[in-house]
Structure formats: C-alpha cells, structure tokens
Amino acid sequence: MKYITAELSVAGGRKENQDACGFLEKPPFYCWVVADGLGGHRGGEIASRLAVESVLKTFKDIPEVSTQVLLQYIEAAQTSILSRQEEDVALRAMRTTLVILIAGPKGAMWAHVGDSRLYHFSGGRIIFQTMDHSVSQAMVNAGEITAEEIRSHEDRNRLLRALGNKRDVRPAVEKKIHTVKPGDTFLLCTDGFWEYVLETEMAVDLVCSENPTNWLELMAERIADRGSGAFDNYSGIGIFIDP
C-alpha cells in the first residue's frame, strides 16, 4: 500500500496554536497522530507537542500494528506529560487529547483519548468514526440530544478523558486490525476542525479532491468562512491510499 499524507495546523482566531500533529513512515509501517492541548489550561501547547513527539518516537522504536503497541504509544505520551508536570509546577494542569492511526501490511488500527477524531472513508462515504470522550457525546449515548447537536451544545468542550490526568486515562483502542484498500481515505482532526465541517461536507469535498492536500484545503476554506472572533485552533491530517 502507498499512503499519501497531507497535514495542516492553523491558529484560527487565537494568538497561540495549541494543536500538534505529525506522521512518520517506516515502511511497511506508518503512524499518524493529532493532539489538541486543552485551551483552558496552561501549557496546552506543550502537552500536545509532547504527546505527538512521544508517540512518534515510540513508533520509531516499535513499528508494529497491534492493540498492545497502541497502548504503549499512549503510555509513552502520558508518561512524558506527567514527567514534565513534575518538573514544572506551572504546567501541572496541562492536558491534551490524542488520536493515533497506525497501518501496516495487514491493515490499520487506531486509538484516541478526548474529542479529537478519526474518520475512515471507503467508496466516498464514512464507514467509521470515533466517539468523543465528552459530556455532550455521553448525552448522545443516553438519548438526551442528537449527534448533530454536539457541535452547538453548551457542554461540548467538557471532556471526560484526556492525557495529563493522573488517574487512569482509559483510551479507546481498537481490538482488531481493519482491512484497508486502495481508494480508502482517513481524516484525523481536532474539534476545532470538525466543529465547522459536517460529515456530509467532508464526503463532498473528498469526491472533489485529487489528493489529500486538496481535500484539506477545501475543508479549511469552510472553516475560515464560518469561524469568527477567537475561534479555535484547527488541525487535520488527510491520508489517501493510492489506487
């Protein structure tokens, strides 16, 4: 499989960009990661950067596709953040979300903590998306609001899980390897990204795109048009499996 990757990370209407993203190739294995430092806490930009760097460093040392290695990547990120908190009391409250995609000869797996998302597209439509670890997602699960109402709900930014908490992180980790095929695509993104781009629009822009760079640019135009004032940072990684 040949994976074609593009990424973007924009401050939006904020002075600082607390998002971080990156990817690493060690053929036949690949790793992509996106993190969103929580804006309400000091050091969010440090937490997200540490998370991305730790995941990619651990992947470089252990390039595999399994539930066990995903847990190792997340543990490495958590350990790095907690260690930095101990070194600097001013950073004790820093937190970050995290979403990881890994791929190899047998297929792909992913994991996440918080409300940064992964979308898997096949045949031009979404066949899987992660479920946020947030109060608003819990309300959807309980039937109190609809999934469409998450974007505008007053509690949307209240997370139930994040890296940097000393208690158990409880990541959502896939238990099986998912088959991928040429023509499939993935999107990893922060909440500042998906908040302004509906899933139907992601699919429409995908159909109009020749490569992941075009795809991200089309979606970024929607965000720029809709964002106003001090709107959130937004970051995304688009991955095309070359047909």
Side-chain angles (χ1 to χ4, degrees), residues 97-111:
T97 69
L98 184 70
V99 58
I100 306 169
L101 170 66
I102 52 177
K106 295 183 179 180
M109 298 183 74
W110 46 81

Side-chain angles (χ1 to χ4, degrees), residues 214-230:
N214 296 153
W215 189 29
L216 291 180
E217 288 173 346
L218 289 174
M219 292 186 286
E221 289 177 7
R222 296 183 187 272
I223 299 170
D225 288 342
R226 294 167 180 172
S228 62

Side-chain angles (χ1 to χ4, degrees), residues 8 26 30 34-35 71 98 101 106 154 180 204 224 228:
L8 64 79
K26 288 199 71 175
Y30 305 83
V34 168
L71 289 170
L98 184 70
L101 170 66
K106 295 183 179 180
E154 60 183 358
V180 295
V204 167
S228 62

